[in-house]
Amino acid sequence: MSEVKLVATARTEFGKGAARRLRRAHQIPAVLYGHGSDPVHVSLPGHETMLAVKHANALFEIELDGKTTLALAKDVQIEPVRNVIEHVDLLIVKKGEKVAVEVPVHVVGESAPGTIHVVETQAVALEAEATHLPQNVEVDIEGLEAGAIVHAGDITLPQGATLVTDAEAIVLTVSLPQVSADDLAADEAAAELAAEQSAASAADAPAEA
């Protein structure tokens, strides 16, 4: 994903009241920090920022007072009831440097017929170049049989990325569906009911002349 360009405005008012006024004006409070610089409090355009942070590890190109800074969204605070962004922490990065990020696991393919897969680890930690961060890592389960286990070290990583998560960490397992005694009893009851209904229907049917 290419850099998302956002024009930021320096903030001079702070506190909950100031933050609410910003959000009413369709702006999002944020802070820029990193590389030994003092934190810079800014506001970001609400709609564009909301769309950008939906992508994992989106890289921002923040323009402030005519100066452009590259940054990653390290923390996005969301108000759960209204599902609106309340604040964004932006980590300043430089081209060529590597940063540690968490990348979602994306499953592709289908395991062997009759099996199910369970994702045990939703995301893995990688170190990658700040300007070439992957959106996800793919785990191919095509044809995997019951009992198969995919470890973090088995994942094919994007070029230039190195694994930070323990290589032995279990990412995904393939197994046969477990049928409980309650499920079996329910199936048997349903079969008996269907048989009774079929017999009743046959008894009620008019006899052939």
Side-chain angles (χ1 to χ4, degrees):
M1 182 179 177
S2 59
E3 294 91 341
V4 178
K5 297 182 178 180
L6 298 175
V7 177
T9 304
R11 283 194 291 145
T12 56
E13 292 185 318
F14 305 97
K16 292 183 179 180
R20 282 196 293 268
R21 285 192 293 274
L22 276 178
R23 288 190 286 270
R24 283 198 296 268
H26 306 293
Q27 298 283 306
I28 296 175
V31 61
L32 270 168
Y33 68 96
H35 278 275
S37 61
D38 292 332
V40 179
H41 298 273
V42 299
S43 61
L44 302 174
H47 183 66
E48 292 90 334
T49 305
M50 181 185 66
L51 292 177
V53 298
K54 289 182 178 180
H55 300 276
N57 304 315
L59 182 64
F60 293 86
E61 190 175 279
I62 307 295
E63 181 181 330
L64 178 65
D65 297 332
K67 180 182 177 182
T68 299
T69 302
L70 291 178
L72 293 172
K74 293 300 290 183
D75 184 49
V76 180
Q77 298 173 22
I78 297 177
E79 198 281 313
V81 176
R82 292 174 297 149
N83 195 33
V84 296
I85 299 174
E86 292 195 321
H87 192 274
V88 180
D89 287 355
L90 296 167
L91 175 66
I92 297 171
V93 296
K94 303 291 185 183
K95 287 186 176 181
E97 78 169 311
K98 287 196 169 185
V99 295
V101 292
E102 286 201 344
V103 181
V105 170
H106 177 61
V107 179
V108 296
E110 296 287 342
S111 56
T115 64
I116 59 173
H117 73 271
V118 177
V119 178
E120 306 286 354
T121 303
Q122 299 294 331
V124 295
L126 303 179
E127 189 174 70
E129 189 175 339
T131 52
H132 294 88
L133 295 176
Q135 295 298 299
N136 57 53
V137 291
E138 291 189 348
V139 176
D140 189 352
I141 64 170
E142 187 64 38
L144 291 185
E145 300 285 348
I149 298 175
V150 178
H151 296 89
D154 300 326
I155 300 174
T156 300
L157 301 180
Q159 185 176 0
T162 56
L163 184 67
V164 175
T165 294
D166 183 355
E168 295 302 314
I170 296 175
V171 174
L172 180 144
T173 59
V174 178
S175 61
L176 294 173
Q178 297 296 312
V179 180
S180 69
D182 289 342
D183 291 335
L184 289 174
D187 288 344
E188 290 176 0
E192 290 177 1
L193 179 60
E196 291 173 0
Q197 291 175 339
S198 178
S201 296
D204 293 338
E208 293 185 2

